[in-house]
Amino acid sequence: DVKVTQSSRYLVKRTGEKVFLECVQDMDHENMFWYRQDPGLGLRLIYFSYDVKMKEKGDIPEGYSVSREKKERFSLILESASTNQTSMYLCASSLRWWVGGRGEQYFGPGTRLTVT
Amino acid sequence: AQKVTQAQTEISVVEKEDVTLDCVYETRDTTYYLFWYKQPPSGELVFLIRRNSFDEQNEISGRYSWNFQKSTSSFNFTITASQVVDSAVYFCALSEPENDSNDYKLSFGAGTTVTVRA
């Protein structure tokens, strides 16, 4: 089974702090994703990466950055946390299309971040 | 524009009732994939099914069934004889090939919260 783990289930940070959310997958997937989930809005894509050191902006990248130094690890960084970044953050991974991936993503348990 | 619409925000049923979740999607591609995910209270999204655009056969898996109709751009999900453990948020998602990379991202609907009461 695909295993996607996230460094924290719950996190409380202060406004202005730099926040790191870590995600690790153990299935050698090329693609990794960061989403935020808010009530009534579903999942919105922040950033994704289809290879080491590669990254692409999703639908709502403002206020976030990412890092992918190793294939299995994808980090989301909030440079200066703000209260409107209080949310559930979900990491996911998937196979690339040429090795059989057709879009199904496998998710971690999520990190509920509160910025006060 | 919203690519995936789940018009039902919340559904509440009594155990053993059937429940149908609606999903309407929008795409210009001829090749695409549709998905349903379940998010129980624990928070982790669980992949339920993938359906490609060329396969309109309905699918049944235990108490779950899916009805894909290209004519109405819908991919509805029915839980038969619901149980308390079915209580969760259910997401419909659409995957379209990206132009350059031919890879797939997911567009999610807003989700439908299903509550099954004992």
Short mmCIF file of all heavy atoms in Angstrom, two decimals, chain B residues 44-86:
data_model
loop_
_atom_site.label_atom_id
_atom_site.label_comp_id
_atom_site.label_asym_id
_atom_site.label_seq_id
_atom_site.Cartn_x
_atom_site.Cartn_y
_atom_site.Cartn_z
N GLU B 44 -7.96 11.47 6.38
CA GLU B 44 -7.21 11.01 5.21
C GLU B 44 -8.15 10.67 4.06
O GLU B 44 -9.06 9.87 4.23
CB GLU B 44 -6.39 9.79 5.60
CG GLU B 44 -5.46 9.27 4.53
CD GLU B 44 -4.51 8.23 5.08
OE1 GLU B 44 -4.21 8.26 6.29
OE2 GLU B 44 -4.09 7.37 4.30
N LEU B 45 -7.93 11.24 2.91
CA LEU B 45 -8.75 10.91 1.75
C LEU B 45 -8.42 9.51 1.25
O LEU B 45 -7.25 9.16 1.06
CB LEU B 45 -8.52 11.91 0.61
CG LEU B 45 -9.43 13.13 0.59
CD1 LEU B 45 -8.95 14.15 1.58
CD2 LEU B 45 -9.51 13.72 -0.81
N VAL B 46 -9.45 8.75 1.01
CA VAL B 46 -9.30 7.38 0.55
C VAL B 46 -9.84 7.28 -0.87
O VAL B 46 -10.99 7.65 -1.13
CB VAL B 46 -10.05 6.41 1.48
CG1 VAL B 46 -9.96 4.98 0.94
CG2 VAL B 46 -9.51 6.50 2.89
N PHE B 47 -9.02 6.78 -1.77
CA PHE B 47 -9.41 6.62 -3.17
C PHE B 47 -10.45 5.50 -3.27
O PHE B 47 -10.24 4.41 -2.76
CB PHE B 47 -8.15 6.28 -3.97
CG PHE B 47 -8.39 5.75 -5.34
CD1 PHE B 47 -8.90 6.55 -6.34
CD2 PHE B 47 -8.08 4.44 -5.66
CE1 PHE B 47 -9.11 6.07 -7.61
CE2 PHE B 47 -8.27 3.94 -6.94
CZ PHE B 47 -8.79 4.76 -7.91
N LEU B 48 -11.57 5.77 -3.93
CA LEU B 48 -12.64 4.77 -4.09
C LEU B 48 -12.68 4.19 -5.49
O LEU B 48 -12.77 2.98 -5.68
CB LEU B 48 -13.99 5.39 -3.76
CG LEU B 48 -14.23 5.83 -2.32
CD1 LEU B 48 -15.61 6.45 -2.18
CD2 LEU B 48 -14.06 4.67 -1.36
N ILE B 49 -12.66 5.05 -6.49
CA ILE B 49 -12.81 4.57 -7.86
C ILE B 49 -12.25 5.57 -8.85
O ILE B 49 -12.22 6.77 -8.59
CB ILE B 49 -14.30 4.32 -8.20
CG1 ILE B 49 -14.43 3.61 -9.56
CG2 ILE B 49 -15.08 5.63 -8.18
CD1 ILE B 49 -15.83 3.15 -9.88
N ARG B 50 -11.77 5.02 -9.96
CA ARG B 50 -11.38 5.81 -11.12
C ARG B 50 -12.15 5.29 -12.32
O ARG B 50 -12.32 4.10 -12.49
CB ARG B 50 -9.88 5.67 -11.41
CG ARG B 50 -9.42 6.47 -12.62
CD ARG B 50 -8.02 6.09 -13.05
NE ARG B 50 -8.01 4.81 -13.75
CZ ARG B 50 -6.92 4.05 -13.87
NH1 ARG B 50 -5.79 4.42 -13.33
NH2 ARG B 50 -6.98 2.92 -14.53
N ARG B 51 -12.62 6.23 -13.15
CA ARG B 51 -13.36 5.85 -14.35
C ARG B 51 -12.81 6.66 -15.51
O ARG B 51 -12.67 7.87 -15.39
CB ARG B 51 -14.85 6.14 -14.13
CG ARG B 51 -15.72 5.84 -15.30
CD ARG B 51 -15.58 4.43 -15.68
NE ARG B 51 -16.65 3.58 -15.18
CZ ARG B 51 -16.47 2.30 -14.90
NH1 ARG B 51 -15.29 1.76 -14.99
NH2 ARG B 51 -17.48 1.58 -14.54
N ASN B 52 -12.48 6.02 -16.65
CA ASN B 52 -12.00 6.80 -17.78
C ASN B 52 -13.15 7.19 -18.71
O ASN B 52 -14.22 6.58 -18.68
CB ASN B 52 -10.88 6.06 -18.53
CG ASN B 52 -11.40 4.94 -19.41
OD1 ASN B 52 -12.27 5.14 -20.25
ND2 ASN B 52 -10.87 3.75 -19.22
N SER B 53 -12.90 8.17 -19.53
CA SER B 53 -13.97 8.78 -20.33
C SER B 53 -14.50 7.86 -21.42
O SER B 53 -15.55 8.14 -22.01
CB SER B 53 -13.46 10.09 -20.96
OG SER B 53 -12.25 9.88 -21.65
N PHE B 54 -13.80 6.78 -21.70
CA PHE B 54 -14.24 5.89 -22.76
C PHE B 54 -15.04 4.70 -22.23
O PHE B 54 -15.49 3.86 -23.01
CB PHE B 54 -13.04 5.39 -23.56
CG PHE B 54 -12.28 6.50 -24.22
CD1 PHE B 54 -11.06 6.92 -23.72
CD2 PHE B 54 -12.81 7.15 -25.31
CE1 PHE B 54 -10.37 7.96 -24.32
CE2 PHE B 54 -12.14 8.19 -25.92
CZ PHE B 54 -10.91 8.60 -25.42
N ASP B 55 -15.20 4.65 -20.95
CA ASP B 55 -15.88 3.51 -20.35
C ASP B 55 -17.10 4.00 -19.60
O ASP B 55 -16.99 4.48 -18.48
CB ASP B 55 -14.93 2.77 -19.41
CG ASP B 55 -15.56 1.53 -18.82
OD1 ASP B 55 -16.74 1.23 -19.15
OD2 ASP B 55 -14.89 0.86 -18.02
N GLU B 56 -18.26 3.83 -20.21
CA GLU B 56 -19.48 4.33 -19.59
C GLU B 56 -20.24 3.25 -18.85
O GLU B 56 -21.36 3.46 -18.41
CB GLU B 56 -20.40 4.97 -20.64
CG GLU B 56 -19.93 6.34 -21.09
CD GLU B 56 -21.01 7.09 -21.84
OE1 GLU B 56 -21.97 7.56 -21.19
OE2 GLU B 56 -20.91 7.19 -23.08
N GLN B 57 -19.64 2.10 -18.71
CA GLN B 57 -20.33 1.05 -17.96
C GLN B 57 -20.44 1.44 -16.51
O GLN B 57 -19.50 1.96 -15.90
CB GLN B 57 -19.54 -0.25 -18.06
CG GLN B 57 -19.72 -0.98 -19.37
CD GLN B 57 -19.17 -2.39 -19.30
OE1 GLN B 57 -18.47 -2.74 -18.36
NE2 GLN B 57 -19.48 -3.20 -20.29
N ASN B 58 -21.60 1.16 -15.94
CA ASN B 58 -21.75 1.39 -14.51
C ASN B 58 -20.94 0.36 -13.74
O ASN B 58 -20.65 -0.73 -14.25
CB ASN B 58 -23.22 1.30 -14.11
CG ASN B 58 -24.01 2.47 -14.67
OD1 ASN B 58 -23.46 3.53 -14.94
ND2 ASN B 58 -25.30 2.27 -14.86
N GLU B 59 -20.56 0.73 -12.55
CA GLU B 59 -19.73 -0.18 -11.76
C GLU B 59 -20.33 -0.35 -10.37
O GLU B 59 -20.87 0.59 -9.80
CB GLU B 59 -18.31 0.36 -11.64
CG GLU B 59 -17.37 -0.55 -10.87
CD GLU B 59 -15.93 -0.36 -11.25
OE1 GLU B 59 -15.66 0.19 -12.33
OE2 GLU B 59 -15.07 -0.78 -10.46
N ILE B 60 -20.21 -1.57 -9.88
CA ILE B 60 -20.71 -1.87 -8.55
C ILE B 60 -19.59 -2.53 -7.76
O ILE B 60 -18.90 -3.41 -8.26
CB ILE B 60 -21.92 -2.83 -8.61
CG1 ILE B 60 -23.09 -2.16 -9.36
CG2 ILE B 60 -22.37 -3.22 -7.20
CD1 ILE B 60 -24.27 -3.09 -9.58
N SER B 61 -19.43 -2.05 -6.54
CA SER B 61 -18.45 -2.67 -5.64
C SER B 61 -19.10 -2.77 -4.27
O SER B 61 -19.17 -1.79 -3.52
CB SER B 61 -17.18 -1.82 -5.59
OG SER B 61 -16.27 -2.35 -4.65
N GLY B 62 -19.59 -3.93 -3.96
CA GLY B 62 -20.28 -4.11 -2.68
C GLY B 62 -21.51 -3.24 -2.60
O GLY B 62 -22.40 -3.32 -3.45
N ARG B 63 -21.56 -2.38 -1.61
CA ARG B 63 -22.72 -1.49 -1.44
C ARG B 63 -22.58 -0.20 -2.25
O ARG B 63 -23.47 0.65 -2.25
CB ARG B 63 -22.90 -1.15 0.04
CG ARG B 63 -23.24 -2.35 0.91
CD ARG B 63 -23.50 -1.95 2.35
NE ARG B 63 -22.33 -1.37 2.99
CZ ARG B 63 -22.16 -0.08 3.24
NH1 ARG B 63 -23.10 0.79 2.90
NH2 ARG B 63 -21.06 0.36 3.84
N TYR B 64 -21.44 -0.03 -2.92
CA TYR B 64 -21.18 1.18 -3.69
C TYR B 64 -21.47 0.93 -5.17
O TYR B 64 -21.14 -0.14 -5.70
CB TYR B 64 -19.71 1.60 -3.57
CG TYR B 64 -19.24 2.04 -2.21
CD1 TYR B 64 -17.89 2.24 -1.97
CD2 TYR B 64 -20.12 2.27 -1.17
CE1 TYR B 64 -17.42 2.66 -0.74
CE2 TYR B 64 -19.67 2.70 0.07
CZ TYR B 64 -18.31 2.88 0.28
OH TYR B 64 -17.86 3.31 1.51
N SER B 65 -22.05 1.91 -5.82
CA SER B 65 -22.21 1.84 -7.27
C SER B 65 -22.04 3.23 -7.86
O SER B 65 -22.27 4.25 -7.20
CB SER B 65 -23.58 1.25 -7.64
OG SER B 65 -24.63 2.06 -7.15
N TRP B 66 -21.61 3.24 -9.12
CA TRP B 66 -21.34 4.50 -9.80
C TRP B 66 -22.03 4.49 -11.16
O TRP B 66 -22.00 3.51 -11.88
CB TRP B 66 -19.83 4.68 -9.99
CG TRP B 66 -19.11 4.91 -8.70
CD1 TRP B 66 -18.87 6.10 -8.10
CD2 TRP B 66 -18.56 3.91 -7.84
NE1 TRP B 66 -18.19 5.90 -6.92
CE2 TRP B 66 -17.99 4.57 -6.74
CE3 TRP B 66 -18.48 2.52 -7.88
CZ2 TRP B 66 -17.36 3.90 -5.70
CZ3 TRP B 66 -17.85 1.84 -6.85
CH2 TRP B 66 -17.30 2.53 -5.78
N ASN B 67 -22.62 5.63 -11.48
CA ASN B 67 -23.33 5.81 -12.73
C ASN B 67 -22.68 6.95 -13.51
O ASN B 67 -22.79 8.11 -13.13
CB ASN B 67 -24.81 6.12 -12.43
CG ASN B 67 -25.62 6.28 -13.70
OD1 ASN B 67 -25.13 6.08 -14.80
ND2 ASN B 67 -26.88 6.63 -13.54
N PHE B 68 -22.01 6.59 -14.61
CA PHE B 68 -21.29 7.56 -15.42
C PHE B 68 -22.11 7.81 -16.68
O PHE B 68 -22.38 6.87 -17.44
CB PHE B 68 -19.90 7.01 -15.77
CG PHE B 68 -19.09 7.87 -16.71
CD1 PHE B 68 -19.20 9.25 -16.70
CD2 PHE B 68 -18.20 7.29 -17.58
CE1 PHE B 68 -18.44 10.02 -17.55
CE2 PHE B 68 -17.42 8.06 -18.44
CZ PHE B 68 -17.54 9.43 -18.43
N GLN B 69 -22.50 9.05 -16.93
CA GLN B 69 -23.26 9.39 -18.12
C GLN B 69 -22.61 10.59 -18.81
O GLN B 69 -22.72 11.73 -18.33
CB GLN B 69 -24.71 9.72 -17.76
CG GLN B 69 -25.49 8.51 -17.27
CD GLN B 69 -26.98 8.75 -17.25
OE1 GLN B 69 -27.43 9.88 -17.36
NE2 GLN B 69 -27.76 7.68 -17.12
N LYS B 70 -21.96 10.33 -19.94
CA LYS B 70 -21.29 11.41 -20.67
C LYS B 70 -22.30 12.40 -21.22
O LYS B 70 -22.00 13.59 -21.34
CB LYS B 70 -20.44 10.83 -21.80
CG LYS B 70 -19.19 10.15 -21.31
CD LYS B 70 -18.40 9.54 -22.45
CE LYS B 70 -17.64 10.58 -23.22
NZ LYS B 70 -16.69 9.95 -24.17
N SER B 71 -23.48 11.93 -21.58
CA SER B 71 -24.47 12.82 -22.18
C SER B 71 -24.86 13.96 -21.26
O SER B 71 -25.21 15.06 -21.70
CB SER B 71 -25.71 12.02 -22.59
OG SER B 71 -26.29 11.41 -21.46
N THR B 72 -24.80 13.69 -19.96
CA THR B 72 -25.16 14.73 -18.99
C THR B 72 -23.95 15.17 -18.18
O THR B 72 -24.08 15.94 -17.22
CB THR B 72 -26.25 14.22 -18.03
OG1 THR B 72 -25.79 12.99 -17.42
CG2 THR B 72 -27.56 13.96 -18.77
N SER B 73 -22.77 14.69 -18.56
CA SER B 73 -21.52 15.03 -17.84
C SER B 73 -21.67 14.78 -16.34
O SER B 73 -21.37 15.64 -15.50
CB SER B 73 -21.13 16.49 -18.09
OG SER B 73 -20.83 16.71 -19.43
N SER B 74 -22.16 13.62 -16.02
CA SER B 74 -22.38 13.31 -14.60
C SER B 74 -21.72 11.99 -14.22
O SER B 74 -21.58 11.08 -15.05
CB SER B 74 -23.88 13.26 -14.29
OG SER B 74 -24.49 12.19 -14.97
N PHE B 75 -21.32 11.92 -12.99
CA PHE B 75 -20.69 10.71 -12.45
C PHE B 75 -21.19 10.56 -11.02
O PHE B 75 -20.55 10.95 -10.06
CB PHE B 75 -19.17 10.85 -12.52
CG PHE B 75 -18.41 9.61 -12.11
CD1 PHE B 75 -18.78 8.35 -12.56
CD2 PHE B 75 -17.28 9.72 -11.30
CE1 PHE B 75 -18.08 7.22 -12.20
CE2 PHE B 75 -16.57 8.58 -10.93
CZ PHE B 75 -16.95 7.34 -11.38
N ASN B 76 -22.37 9.96 -10.90
CA ASN B 76 -23.03 9.89 -9.60
C ASN B 76 -22.67 8.64 -8.84
O ASN B 76 -22.36 7.60 -9.41
CB ASN B 76 -24.55 9.98 -9.78
CG ASN B 76 -24.98 11.30 -10.37
OD1 ASN B 76 -24.26 12.30 -10.29
ND2 ASN B 76 -26.16 11.32 -10.99
N PHE B 77 -22.76 8.73 -7.53
CA PHE B 77 -22.29 7.68 -6.62
C PHE B 77 -23.43 7.33 -5.67
O PHE B 77 -24.01 8.23 -5.05
CB PHE B 77 -21.08 8.24 -5.87
CG PHE B 77 -20.54 7.41 -4.75
CD1 PHE B 77 -20.62 6.01 -4.76
CD2 PHE B 77 -19.92 8.01 -3.67
CE1 PHE B 77 -20.10 5.25 -3.73
CE2 PHE B 77 -19.39 7.25 -2.63
CZ PHE B 77 -19.47 5.88 -2.65
N THR B 78 -23.74 6.05 -5.60
CA THR B 78 -24.82 5.59 -4.72
C THR B 78 -24.28 4.63 -3.68
O THR B 78 -23.55 3.70 -4.00
CB THR B 78 -25.95 4.92 -5.52
OG1 THR B 78 -26.52 5.87 -6.42
CG2 THR B 78 -27.04 4.37 -4.60
N ILE B 79 -24.66 4.88 -2.43
CA ILE B 79 -24.38 3.95 -1.35
C ILE B 79 -25.70 3.28 -1.02
O ILE B 79 -26.69 3.94 -0.65
CB ILE B 79 -23.83 4.67 -0.10
CG1 ILE B 79 -22.58 5.47 -0.46
CG2 ILE B 79 -23.53 3.67 1.00
CD1 ILE B 79 -22.08 6.37 0.67
N THR B 80 -25.73 1.97 -1.15
CA THR B 80 -26.94 1.20 -0.87
C THR B 80 -26.91 0.70 0.56
O THR B 80 -25.86 0.31 1.07
CB THR B 80 -27.02 0.01 -1.84
OG1 THR B 80 -26.99 0.51 -3.19
CG2 THR B 80 -28.29 -0.80 -1.62
N ALA B 81 -28.05 0.76 1.21
CA ALA B 81 -28.17 0.26 2.59
C ALA B 81 -27.07 0.88 3.46
O ALA B 81 -26.21 0.18 4.01
CB ALA B 81 -28.11 -1.26 2.63
N SER B 82 -27.12 2.18 3.59
CA SER B 82 -26.05 2.92 4.26
C SER B 82 -25.82 2.44 5.69
O SER B 82 -26.74 1.94 6.36
CB SER B 82 -26.36 4.41 4.25
OG SER B 82 -27.57 4.66 4.94
N GLN B 83 -24.59 2.62 6.13
CA GLN B 83 -24.20 2.27 7.49
C GLN B 83 -23.54 3.48 8.14
O GLN B 83 -23.05 4.37 7.45
CB GLN B 83 -23.22 1.09 7.47
CG GLN B 83 -23.79 -0.16 6.83
CD GLN B 83 -22.77 -1.28 6.73
OE1 GLN B 83 -21.62 -1.15 7.17
NE2 GLN B 83 -23.18 -2.41 6.15
N VAL B 84 -23.49 3.44 9.45
CA VAL B 84 -22.88 4.57 10.19
C VAL B 84 -21.45 4.82 9.73
O VAL B 84 -20.99 5.95 9.64
CB VAL B 84 -22.96 4.32 11.71
CG1 VAL B 84 -22.18 5.37 12.47
CG2 VAL B 84 -24.41 4.30 12.18
N VAL B 85 -20.75 3.75 9.38
CA VAL B 85 -19.34 3.89 8.94
C VAL B 85 -19.21 4.61 7.61
O VAL B 85 -18.11 4.99 7.21
CB VAL B 85 -18.63 2.53 8.86
CG1 VAL B 85 -18.47 1.93 10.22
CG2 VAL B 85 -19.33 1.60 7.90
N ASP B 86 -20.33 4.79 6.92
CA ASP B 86 -20.29 5.53 5.66
C ASP B 86 -20.27 7.04 5.89
O ASP B 86 -20.10 7.81 4.94
CB ASP B 86 -21.50 5.18 4.79
CG ASP B 86 -21.51 3.73 4.35
OD1 ASP B 86 -20.41 3.17 4.12
OD2 ASP B 86 -22.61 3.13 4.26
#
